[in-house]
Amino acid sequence: MPVSVNGLSAELLEELAALAVERTAEGGLRLMGEGGILPELAQHLMQAALEAEMDQHLAAEAGQVGGRGSRSGGNTRNGYRAKKVITEVGPVTVQVPRDRLGTFSPRLLPKYARRTGALDEMVLSLTAKGLTSGEIVAHLAEVYGMTTTKETVSTITDKALESMAEWRTRPLDPVYPVVFIDAIHVKIRDGHVANRPIYVAIAVTADGYREILGLWAGDGGEGSKYWTTVLTEIKNRGVRDVLMLVCDGLSALPDAVNTVWPQTVVQTCVVHLIRNSLRYASRRDWADVARDLKPIYTAVNEEQARTRLEEFAEKWAKRYPSISQSWERAWSEFVPFLGLPDAIRQVVYTTNAIESLNARYRRAAQACGHFPNETAALKRLYLATLALDPTGRGRQRWNNRWKTALNEFDVLFDGRLTATRA
């Protein structure tokens, strides 16, 4: 008899279809939640599975020579205990069989378990998509008829802390062509609610794929010592060399980078320089200012860029003197960009490579308002990280974009990119 992938016969499926037609004719078919057909089916299937587990357990103990099952009287069934379980289709109540010797521990519903693993995965997925604990509780009640609490949701998501710790300490590749560092600010309550930076480091692998290296919570004291600690942690995870590091004007970062990876080129984000320049200008002048800044970062070399900056200052210094001054302050970290081939310029002139990621992080953080501590903030952003690019299309687009630039990197940096490959 033909069966489905789950072993359901065609005859049984036809019976279920007939039942659905009958329920629909009577006023509507409810699949999940209280009175739904799926919780009822789940209850019967779980009950049958528990009975089968008990039979296997008793048979195994009876066959043990000298085991507890072979004592006088042996081990036998000893009634049931009711247990309410929240499943992904709604709450069900099953009768868990007991044995006389108390050695039975069902695999389907371990002792003290009040939820199925699939429900935990659902809660983690909803959290990763930016829903708050209250919204998840309301969603489960509305769609699945489940009565749960925010504390239960927090308990489920706390399971991610162990995997987050492993993720933040996992081994990394020995060399990366580019590492981007950027930050988002979230509200964390530490005595009082304050904005705190959460830094994210994203690397491009030697094969042209994106890899998120980690998340770090700053406390406002992000000096050279702080960044040396962060970069040393990355180095201790196996990163021996980084060809370029792109950041947004973090003043203490270049010194820390030179301490950890002396050969690494630190490049400031050109787009952030432009954005910062526009902050000093009136909105009505933005188009003109941006147009006059373009010759600076599209110059063929430093000498030409310096000339274009002087021309810009002559035109705008009286009205907006801070713009040219901001470029002067960032000049030493901007200059490396001018020595890059066009293929590399196109992919490193901005940290926009991680702007879409930051947008996802901001949505997840803003949904919560503020966090009780930095661990809660990191947990939510980590779960958002797990939900990125479920189809894999973004990964492939990233790879396609970087292929040409990677060839230029290996030539420009004297083979350091491929030196670690066999």
Side-chain angles (χ1 to χ4, degrees):
M1 183 179 296
V3 296
S4 71
V5 293
N6 290 314
L8 303 178
S9 67
E11 198 173 275
L12 176 58
L13 292 174
E14 289 177 2
E15 290 181 6
L16 291 173
L19 176 61
V21 172
E22 181 182 342
R23 291 286 180 88
T24 301
E26 292 175 353
L29 173 66
R30 184 175 178 83
L31 293 177
M32 295 181 289
E34 185 176 356
I37 191 172
L38 292 183
E40 184 177 351
L41 288 172
Q43 179 183 17
H44 284 285
L45 292 172
M46 292 173 69
Q47 190 68 51
L50 289 170
E51 299 289 355
E53 282 197 53
M54 175 59 84
D55 290 340
Q56 294 174 1
H57 175 72
L58 294 177
E61 285 208 340
Q64 292 177 3
V65 178
R68 299 181 69 180
S70 64
R71 295 179 182 176
S72 177
N75 195 7
T76 61
R77 289 176 175 267
N78 189 32
Y80 296 86
R81 60 182 175 85
K83 186 172 187 177
K84 187 175 182 179
V85 182
I86 300 178
T87 73
E88 59 272 29
V89 296
V92 300
T93 300
V94 295
Q95 301 294 323
V96 181
R98 299 185 299 183
D99 61 333
R100 186 177 299 276
L101 298 179
T103 57
F104 177 56
S105 179
R107 296 185 299 276
L108 179 64
L109 290 176
K111 289 183 179 180
Y112 313 115
R114 294 290 176 180
R115 305 178 304 273
T116 61
L119 177 65
D120 289 3
E121 293 174 2
M122 181 191 303
V123 170
L124 290 173
S125 176
L126 292 173
T127 303
K129 288 176 173 56
L131 272 69
T132 65
S133 296
E135 290 171 337
I136 293 174
V137 169
H139 175 78
L140 295 179
E142 179 182 357
V143 178
Y144 302 99
M146 304 179 192
T147 301
T148 185
T149 64
K150 292 192 228 180
E151 290 73 18
T152 300
V153 172
S154 295
T155 299
I156 294 174
T157 57
D158 280 345
K159 292 183 177 180
L161 292 176
E162 183 176 348
S163 62
M164 181 179 74
E166 294 178 357
W167 176 77
R168 295 179 69 193
T169 57
R170 74 194 187 282
L172 301 174
D173 292 350
V175 60
Y176 291 107
V178 184
V179 171
F180 297 91
I181 291 181
D182 205 355
I184 67 167
H185 286 80
V186 302
K187 298 183 184 298
I188 297 177
R189 185 174 63 244
D190 186 8
H192 64 281
V193 177
N195 282 324
R196 294 267 302 277
I198 302 292
Y199 293 100
V200 56
I202 297 184
V204 180
T205 70
D207 295 319
Y209 293 104
R210 181 180 69 179
E211 181 176 2
I212 301 175
L213 304 185
L215 296 163
W216 294 268
D219 58 5
E222 286 77 36
S224 179
K225 183 177 180 181
Y226 171 83
W227 282 112
T228 300
T229 302
V230 170
L231 299 179
T232 300
E233 176 188 320
I234 294 176
K235 183 177 182 179
N236 290 341
R237 290 164 61 190
V239 182
R240 299 201 299 269
D241 193 11
V242 173
L243 305 188
M244 290 192 67
L245 189 142
V246 182
C247 64
D248 174 25
L250 298 169
S251 58
L253 190 54
D255 292 338
V257 172
N258 291 333
T259 300
V260 179
W261 299 298
Q263 293 181 286
T264 299
V265 174
V266 179
Q267 171 66 53
T268 193
C269 171
V270 177
V271 166
H272 276 81
L273 273 175
I274 298 170
R275 289 176 182 171
N276 291 337
S277 299
L278 296 180
R279 289 175 185 170
Y280 297 114
S282 172
R283 183 180 290 270
R284 68 187 181 192
D285 293 327
W286 279 7
D288 293 335
V289 170
R291 185 189 62 245
D292 291 342
L293 286 173
K294 187 174 182 179
I296 302 174
Y297 60 84
T298 57
V300 297
N301 53 41
E302 182 180 358
E303 182 180 357
Q304 187 183 72
R306 173 65 69 179
T307 301
R308 298 294 179 262
L309 180 59
E310 291 172 355
E311 293 173 354
F312 178 90
E314 289 177 4
K315 180 176 180 180
W316 295 99
K318 289 184 178 180
R319 190 179 302 179
Y320 306 122
S322 297
I323 296 180
S324 56
Q325 292 173 10
S326 67
W327 281 77
E328 290 285 357
R329 289 193 297 270
W331 194 257
S332 60
E333 281 75 48
F334 163 70
V335 167
F337 177 79
L338 301 174
L340 300 175
D342 287 341
I344 298 181
R345 284 193 185 192
Q346 291 175 8
V347 292
V348 303
Y349 86 106
T350 174
T351 53
N352 280 356
I354 55 178
E355 286 299 323
S356 60
L357 172 63
N358 284 346
R360 293 285 295 272
Y361 283 163
R362 289 189 185 97
R363 286 203 302 270
Q366 290 171 357
C368 294
H370 70 271
F371 298 94
N373 50 58
E374 67 178 42
T375 300
L378 290 171
K379 178 180 71 173
R380 177 163 281 269
L381 297 186
Y382 166 69
L383 290 173
T385 301
L386 298 182
L388 294 172
D389 195 22
T391 65
R393 293 177 183 174
R395 172 181 169 85
Q396 191 56 51
R397 285 197 302 268
W398 184 284
N399 180 259
N400 293 339
R401 181 173 176 242
W402 276 87
K403 280 300 185 182
T404 303
L406 289 175
N407 293 321
E408 298 279 3
F409 265 108
D410 204 38
V411 174
L412 184 64
F413 289 90
D414 299 324
R416 284 162 53 194
L417 182 59
T418 55
T420 57
R421 296 187 176 184

